[in-house]
Amino acid sequence: MSVLVIADHNNAELKPVTLNTLQAARSIGEEIDVLVAGHECSEVGDSVVKLGVAHKILIAESPSFEHAIAEDIAALVATLAASYQFILTAHTTTGKNFLPRVAALLDVQMISDITEIVAPDTFKRPVYAGNGIATVKSNDATKVISVRGTAFDPITTGSVSTTIETLPDSTFPEPSPTKYLKDELAQSERPELNNAKVVVSGGRGLGSGESFALLEELADALGAAVGASRAAVDAGYVPNDMQVGQTGKIVAPELYIAVGISGAIQHLAGMKDSKVIVAINNDPDAPIFQLADYGLVADLFEVVPEFIRKLKEHA
Amino acid sequence: MKILCAIKRVVDANVNVVVKSDGSGIELTNVKMSVNPFCEIGVEQAIQLKEAGIADEIVAVSVGSAKTQEQIRVCLALGADRGIIVDAPDDLEPLVIAKILKAVYLQEQPQLVIFGKQSIDGDNSQTGQMFAALTNLPQATFASDLKIENNLATVVREVDGGLQTLQVPLPMVLTTDLRLNVPRFASLKNIMMSKRKQIDTISSDDLGVSLERHTETLRVERPPTRTAGIIVDSVDELVSKLRSEAKVLS
């Protein structure tokens, strides 16, 4: 079973979610190749070599791959596909953008956001905001799959010796007419929401964007990332890249602290696989308490400062 | 400029979805159906472009059974000019839908094709991107802002770390994210007027697209449920439980 994993990276660093994708790949087949497509991204290639899990790394370096424009990455992957039975990447905004294009070019029905590999052709994936878990069998000769990172442990370092193959730019597809203008990425010292061990999220109960400063303080006391419910995003308190839920990010940290979040189904879809869930809400009937391991019915503006104080006292 | 808005009929976002006990799927009998929320954002965007004088015709298209009329009617009441239904089974795969919509695209020749970024039933996020590949069009997915000038679209996209801005020449494919706009409600007058708007039905058989499935859904199960834990009385108790019982705090 030959598997191609397309690395998620920013040209400087391999995104940790690639390690989860590699774990999924290894449970399908031993022979894993990794494609690193980008621009001046040799360090990313080096870090894949150090993992010792890939048989071969394919490096495709071109300015047209720098920003992972879907048209360009998909066309490149399609030219490589014939050698593989499985093509995997992470179900991130990058993967979701280009992988369906790859599948269509190959006339394959992609399997999105898998959470379990039942057999090499059969996968589990959530539907209806995680209210159902579908078991789907693919009859396509090539399987094109995006992987939910939180459902697979990161791969551990192995001892496979990796060969590096630099793809000649004569094989690259014609660049698409889409032009990259800019990125506005949140600058934060906190861990990334997708991979954080602890996540503190706020909802409409916070009442304003300013109140999120309180959650940030709590997050810093815990070394946590800060998330938000869709209600808080819709109310304009925080930007959308903080949204946890069906249409936002899916997280599964060791500890998830929901503050002022009632627990709408679409939010629960994004966090219910967390190991330990704490809910702080002044409404004892809030649905979030039905799945929280520890609930505290209280005014968040009183108990969160106290929580921060207690954490700092102990530190 | 003509805009084609692809619409999906889905279980209403406020319905509590129930998995059938025999594992064959989701209970859809007597369940309220609606326009997929992201598709509705797409229709709103098209209307705003028409109001701004950039677009002159909005066509709403959906692939599915005759019941899809209800959702196309909603789009017409909101402000779409006419509707197309491609009569086909309701459970087609995204790849097949994309192929069918390609055939409609070739007939209609719109400059902009708008999809929702995902449907809230299948949660795949595939159809728009697949359609873009099949039609060899550039795409801007997960859009939260759109400006069109001189046949060039400037699109702000929601990406994992924040926002990305792309410039894409028309014709192109756009998929909508939540913050692109807030859809309006249809006025009574527009609901009445929409009854006079035209809906054409095309048979999928006439489009020369194979409806054959590439995948089989073997079963749909309920997710493992979490049970409620305990209510603590104080921050002290919470901290102590997290330390000694859950062992998630040092």
Side-chain angles (χ1 to χ4, degrees), chain A residues 178-250:
Chain A
T178 298
K179 211 168 107 191
Y180 164 86
L181 295 185
K182 63 175 173 182
D183 275 326
E184 293 155 83
L185 301 182
Q187 297 299 323
S188 171
E189 297 296 307
R190 297 188 190 96
E192 265 192 60
L193 200 44
N194 289 326
N195 306 100
K197 289 206 160 41
V198 182
V199 172
V200 177
S201 281
R204 212 199 291 274
L206 269 292
S208 73
E210 290 73 45
S211 308
F212 267 79
L214 188 60
L215 288 199
E216 286 168 6
E217 204 183 324
L218 176 60
D220 291 341
L222 289 159
V226 181
S229 70
R230 178 171 155 188
V233 173
D234 282 350
Y237 300 167
V238 287
N240 191 49
D241 58 281
M242 288 170 64
Q243 190 198 147
V244 172
Q246 179 189 17
T247 61
K249 294 198 171 72
I250 309 288

Side-chain angles (χ1 to χ4, degrees), chain B residues 185-225:
Chain B
F185 291 98
S187 68
L188 188 59
K189 183 178 150 228
N190 286 347
I191 293 171
M192 297 310 289
M193 281 189 15
S194 75
K195 299 200 167 123
R196 290 204 294 270
K197 289 181 179 173
Q198 184 189 342
I199 301 180
D200 294 316
T201 301
I202 308 174
S203 165
S204 57
D205 299 339
D206 297 340
L207 297 174
V209 176
S210 162
L211 306 185
E212 198 188 338
R213 294 189 68 85
H214 293 229
T215 66
E216 299 161 53
T217 298
L218 303 181
R219 61 187 167 275
V220 179
E221 301 152 295
R222 289 193 190 90
T225 48

Side-chain angles (χ1 to χ4, degrees), chain B residues 217-237:
Chain B
T217 298
L218 303 181
R219 61 187 167 275
V220 179
E221 301 152 295
R222 289 193 190 90
T225 48
R226 280 186 91 104
T227 46
I230 56 162
I231 296 291
V232 294
D233 292 324
S234 66
V235 172
D236 278 330
E237 191 185 350

Side-chain angles (χ1 to χ4, degrees), chain B residues 84-100:
Chain B
I84 299 173
I85 293 173
V86 181
D87 187 35
D90 277 324
D91 61 342
L92 296 180
E93 293 167 337
L95 180 64
V96 175
I97 304 263
K99 288 177 182 175
I100 290 173

